[in-house]
Amino acid sequence: AASATVDVIIEEDLLTNTQVRGDEMMGGLRAILEKHSVTHDVRGLGLMIGCEFSGRKKGVAGAVSKGCLERGMLLLTTGVFETLRF
């Protein structure tokens, strides 16, 4: 089963697809979040993406996460910083 999984990863070029989709998502997030002064940084690798909000206003990450959950999208917030993980 592991060998078949590796074969699919190679044959379907999943690594490249992940990199392309991650770049698209980070670009889209940056474009949306540039309009709001609460964003500090968008960063990631492939589809492991984090969006950090400025510390000036507490609770932004939680509010965004809650709004996304209500729309069917699950995000994780960090416990220390105002950061969402996709």
Side-chain angles (χ1 to χ4, degrees), residues 2-24:
S3 177
T5 300
V6 172
D7 290 343
V8 168
I9 291 170
I10 293 168
E11 290 168 8
E12 297 185 14
D13 201 13
L14 296 184
L15 178 58
T16 299
N17 185 47
T18 299
Q19 292 169 332
V20 169
R21 297 295 166 255
D23 290 344
E24 289 174 347

Side-chain angles (χ1 to χ4, degrees), residues 46-75:
L47 290 170
M48 293 177 29
I49 299 171
C51 178
E52 184 178 345
F53 297 93
S54 67
R56 291 178 289 177
K57 186 174 181 183
K58 297 292 180 195
V60 173
V64 171
S65 179
K66 182 180 176 187
C68 287
L69 182 59
E70 291 168 355
R71 291 166 179 82
M73 183 178 185
L74 181 62
L75 305 176

